[in-house]
Amino acid sequence: MRVFKFGGASINSAARIKNISAIFKSYPGEKILVVISAMGKTTNALEKVAEAFYKGEKEEALQLFENVKQVHLNLANELLKSPVNNIHDFFTEVEWLLHDKPAKDFDYYYDQVVCAGELLSSSIVSAFLHSEKIKNTWVDVRDIIRTDDNFRDANVDLDFTQAKINEIILPEFNNTNIVITQGFIGSTDENESTTLGREGSDYTAALFANLLNADSLTIWKDVEGVMNADPKEFKDAKFINALNYNEVIEMAYYGAQVIHPKTIKPLQNKNIPLHVRCFLNPGAAGTIISNKHVQQSLPIIVLKQNQVLINLNSKDFSFVGEKPMSRLYEIFADLKIKPNLTQNAAISILICMDDAHEKIEKLALMASELFDVQLERNLTLLTIRHYNTDIINKLSKEKIIVLEQKTKDTIQMLMKSPQ
Ligand code: ASP
Ligand code: MG
């Protein structure tokens, strides 16, 4: 059994959907579970719908949703002779909701609206594959992936989900070789839709690979594979053909956009290899990520923008002991904040984190009970694994280094440009 994940860029036009159907034709007779995310920029567009609705701008929300509808209807018309039945049900679900008045939290409505993106794209792809005589079954992942009600960042109930996979997905493979479902979304025990966090389809695919004991997961992207730096930022970025799970989990955690950070654990836990391949060049092998030790010859460079440095100073010159430290970590847990870098001194602590504005303001307020708090914003965190002096000098040239940490493998520099 294989698991394939197709992201938004691989299905954002009729030509691209035809291209992925050609990929399926090159795996005749193989059992494949397919995870699909929303087309192109649909998720962003649906976020705008949810925001307008929540502000009470009903007409605006309906108009924005109409645009999303048209994009999908046009695509379906271009690809298919007969209409896809279920896409109208998904349109209606959202439109009904938009006619209501918001009475619950924003995050709840966000998930009810945004989940439509994956339901629509996967339905169109499934119908097109049928029309190409590629037999497949479409499954609503909300019947499979059970989550809690932490809307927008829901946590998956693995036992329940495993049971549903055994009960629904596995028997389906007796009737068909291809099962098509959605990434990024799930459902609570009260049948409310949930989402797993932006870019969460990779994670869904890794969960399926784990729970199905798949032989491999392939993530089909618009790039050749994993590069040693983001090719949009670094023109001389180079392709890497093999990587170890450890390397990739660190890269993803520190901000490499190539794979969602939660993707690696489910794969590593069952030793399932991850292939990152290019849907525009399906003959190429891409990058393989596995438990094999790989001697990394290239430095790996990751930039994380929009960082804030929080400087916490003891108010009365007392040491920063266990008590204020544990209180501080309680605050992090309450606010769901993950520090990217920390450094302690006798009477102060420095913490670098993503500048999620609202959370940081709350954190500053809560921490001010214990410390004097100062914030420095607009910083960039540069992480270089397998560094050398040349690369450090090159990348830190003309920058002001606010904080630096170095281990045997990794250097991290929190930087800003001079004013
Ligand atoms: N469609 C969702 C997003 O854009 C999930 C994904 O693409 O992985 O965040
Ligand atoms: Mg995506």
Side-chain angles (χ1 to χ4, degrees):
M1 166 98 55
R2 293 174 189 266
V3 177
F4 280 1
K5 183 256 170 170
F6 289 99
S10 67
I11 50 167
N12 67 1
S13 67
R16 292 230 166 142
I17 294 179
K18 288 180 185 160
N19 169 61
I20 71 167
S21 100
I23 294 181
F24 283 106
K25 287 180 184 157
S26 61
Y27 291 89
E30 294 214 35
K31 305 273 180 215
I32 309 175
L33 184 285
V34 185
V35 171
I36 294 198
S37 65
M39 272 173 62
K41 299 273 170 263
T42 306
T43 305
N44 294 356
L46 290 169
E47 284 185 336
K48 298 267 178 319
V49 175
E51 281 161 18
F53 165 76
Y54 204 69
K55 278 195 248 152
E57 296 164 2
K58 180 173 138 189
E59 291 314 315
E60 169 77 0
L62 284 165
Q63 183 52 52
L64 289 168
F65 187 63
E66 188 59 35
N67 301 343
V68 174
K69 249 171 98 170
Q70 283 312 323
V71 171
H72 288 86
L73 286 171
N74 292 343
L75 183 72
N77 280 338
E78 203 176 329
L79 284 167
L80 300 161
K81 288 194 194 73
S82 48
V84 203
N85 297 329
N86 51 355
I87 72 174
H88 290 278
D89 298 340
F90 302 134
F91 293 152
T92 313
E93 262 182 51
V94 175
E95 281 165 343
W96 272 10
L97 181 138
L98 297 181
H99 279 98
D100 265 357
K101 280 215 165 57
K104 298 187 184 182
D105 282 351
F106 172 69
D107 290 356
Y108 164 81
Y109 293 105
Y110 176 104
D111 283 2
Q112 311 318 302
V113 171
V114 162
C115 69
E118 275 58 21
L119 294 163
L120 293 168
S121 63
S122 60
S123 300
I124 295 173
V125 170
S126 165
F128 179 69
L129 294 182
H130 276 300
S131 75
E132 291 279 287
K133 309 271 175 306
I134 302 172
K135 195 175 165 208
N136 69 87
T137 306
W138 180 91
V139 173
D140 188 331
V141 84
R142 296 174 299 176
D143 296 331
I144 311 290
I145 302 233
R146 167 64 62 82
T147 71
D148 62 9
D149 62 359
N150 190 24
F151 296 107
R152 285 184 79 178
D153 191 19
N155 302 295
V156 177
D157 175 341
L158 291 174
D159 292 335
F160 187 93
T161 303
Q162 176 80 72
K164 287 290 169 191
I165 285 185
N166 298 348
E167 182 193 322
I168 299 174
I169 303 282
L170 284 174
E172 201 50 58
F173 277 110
N174 296 325
N175 309 323
T176 182
N177 285 336
I178 299 179
V179 172
I180 297 195
T181 195
Q182 306 80 39
F184 175 57
I185 68 178
S187 156
T188 67
D189 56 0
E190 291 181 22
N191 282 328
E192 301 151 312
S193 300
T194 52
T195 65
L196 311 179
R198 286 302 307 264
E199 303 302 331
S201 296
D202 291 353
Y203 173 53
T204 305
L207 281 181
F208 271 108
N210 176 301
L211 300 176
L212 285 163
N213 290 312
D215 299 310
S216 65
L217 165 62
T218 304
I219 297 186
W220 295 92
K221 297 187 70 85
D222 54 0
V223 289
E224 227 184 315
V226 180
M227 317 281 279
N228 78 322
D230 182 350
K232 284 184 219 112
E233 310 255 3
F234 298 92
K235 293 215 171 45
D236 51 355
K238 292 198 178 62
F239 167 74
I240 305 177
N241 57 16
L243 283 161
N244 182 278
Y245 293 127
N246 286 318
E247 193 78 58
V248 178
I249 203 166
E250 297 289 338
M251 286 169 73
Y253 184 79
Y254 284 110
Q257 298 291 320
V258 63
I259 294 159
H260 191 283
K262 277 158 88 179
T263 314
I264 299 300
K265 178 181 186 306
L267 301 175
Q268 188 276 347
N269 288 176
K270 288 211 175 153
N271 198 7
I272 299 169
L274 167 60
H275 301 267
V276 180
R277 295 177 59 183
C278 182
F279 58 79
L280 298 166
N281 183 12
T287 302
I288 174 160
I289 298 156
S290 70
N291 69 351
K292 291 214 181 75
H293 174 77
V294 183
Q295 190 62 44
Q296 231 23 262
S297 52
L298 290 171
I300 292 178
I301 302 162
V302 183
L303 280 176
K304 207 167 200 215
Q305 311 288 355
N306 197 25
Q307 300 293 295
V308 55
L309 181 68
I310 309 197
N311 194 338
L312 303 173
N313 272 287
S314 156
K315 286 191 179 183
D316 58 0
F317 227 71
S318 56
F319 294 127
V320 181
E322 324 69 78
K323 284 234 174 71
M325 276 301 249
S326 63
R327 174 68 195 124
L328 188 63
Y329 275 84
E330 265 171 38
I331 299 176
F332 290 164
D334 286 350
L335 296 175
K336 298 208 178 82
I337 284 180
K338 287 196 245 15
N340 293 330
L341 207 66
T342 59
Q343 189 150 305
N344 303 8
I347 57 163
S348 69
I349 315 173
L350 292 171
I351 306 156
C352 159
M353 50 187 72
D354 296 351
D355 194 357
H357 235 84
E358 234 173 275
K359 276 191 189 180
I360 300 300
E361 294 303 321
K362 276 193 198 146
L363 169 67
L365 191 69
M366 290 165 92
S368 66
E369 291 162 19
L370 306 161
F371 305 98
D372 285 327
V373 182
Q374 280 168 344
L375 300 184
E376 181 165 7
R377 297 198 129 108
N378 295 322
L379 303 171
T380 299
L381 178 62
L382 167 67
T383 304
I384 315 175
R385 294 183 50 85
H386 319 290
Y387 56 85
N388 56 50
T389 328
D390 279 356
I391 190 95
I392 296 175
N393 291 343
K394 187 171 151 203
L395 296 179
S396 59
K397 202 166 105 197
E398 284 159 25
K399 298 278 190 237
I400 298 170
I401 313 290
V402 184
L403 182 62
E404 179 178 314
Q405 270 178 22
K406 214 174 186 178
T407 67
K408 186 162 64 53
D409 308 311
T410 309
I411 184 167
Q412 295 194 286
M413 290 184 273
L414 190 62
M415 316 187 301
K416 63 178 177 187
S417 300
Q419 296 299 333

